[in-house]
Amino acid sequence: MIEFNSVSYQYPDGALALNNVSLRIKDGAFVAILGKNGAGKTTFVKCINGLIKPTKGSVIVDHLNTRNESVAQMAKRVGLVFQNSDNQLFASSVKDELDFSLKNVGIPETEREETIDETLRTLNLTGFKEKSPFLLSGGERKRVAFASLICMDQNIFIADEPTQGQDEIQRKNIELLLQKMQEKRKTVIVITHDVDFITRLATRVLIFDEGRIMIDGSVDDMFKSSRVLDLIHVQPTQELMLKWLLQEKGITASRPFSLDQEALVATIVDKIKVKKVNVN
Ligand SMILES: Nc1ncnc2c1ncn2[C@@H]1O[C@H](COP(=O)(O)OP(=O)(O)OP(=O)(O)O)[C@@H](O)[C@H]1O
Ligand SMILES: [Mg+2]
């Protein structure tokens, strides 16, 4: 369980990034966090892994007050993939990056190699094992950061924009990995603007605005209409738009909503009326 009790955080230069936030996140929840740039999302998740200690209020993770725990201690429970992986990676090879994480959580050397190979395989990174993370592409680096966290198998896993910079194959793969975590009853928190992804996986959506939680609800509540997405400047998916249009006609589509492209095209072709326009 994660608990925020009246948490505020002010950066040293005076920016109030979190303003009196209170909430509880139950074990096994899959929470999606959305909000405009600068809304406080990254600051919020950094409070969960103890990188940021609140200036007011308290954050309790599995009965531990983050104020009293070191970042290393919190890292055993909470994995956080940073928004910018350049701030996360430091080792001279991909293998060493994962090895360091595993050593940190007390995995003996004899077991580390196997876990490293297995994790790199799941993230399509096998060929990069001996390479420096700094010689990889942005998308590959993000996956190395992801790998260096999931190999520790913590109970709480947080990813700040995990699909940013990933092509479609890697995006699907990351979605699958997060889904597996959900099946293992881990708590997953994802900051993302990827609505498609949220509608498939999330059980709860938090919308941040100016350091506060503006809306807290289920995916179905959140995406009933375009209202919420308009507020945070996020473009709805085609599936959602179609769902809303059908709703207006009294047809309720279930979730996950999928488009049968061929049926859709057949319907459109059937309905199109060619208007004759006189051009003189
Ligand atoms: N290191 C910092 N020092 C001072 N102010 C900061 C710092 N990091 C963030 N802020 C400020 O705190 C507020 C919240 O920032 P935060 O990074 O949490 O937003 P965010 O919702 O993650 O935004 P984005 O979608 O752009 O990633 C913003 O006003 C930002 O300018
Ligand atoms: Mg951010």
Side-chain angles (χ1 to χ4, degrees), residues 9-18 33-46 52 83 160-161 191 193 208 211:
Y9 183 74
Q10 192 160 24
Y11 282 100
D13 72 351
L16 185 63
L18 291 179
I33 300 181
L34 289 122
K36 288 185 269 192
N37 292 141
K41 307 176 299 291
T42 295
T43 309
F44 174 78
V45 294
K46 282 185 176 170
I52 282 179
Q83 186 164 12
D160 199 343
E161 305 274 7
I191 298 177
H193 295 284
F208 275 73

Side-chain angles (χ1 to χ4, degrees), residues 239-258:
E239 274 93 346
L240 268 177
M241 285 198 274
L242 192 62
K243 183 176 164 166
W244 296 331
L245 287 169
L246 285 170
Q247 242 161 241
E248 280 173 20
K249 307 276 177 211
I251 301 165
T252 312
S254 60
R255 189 171 77 93
F257 185 75
S258 65

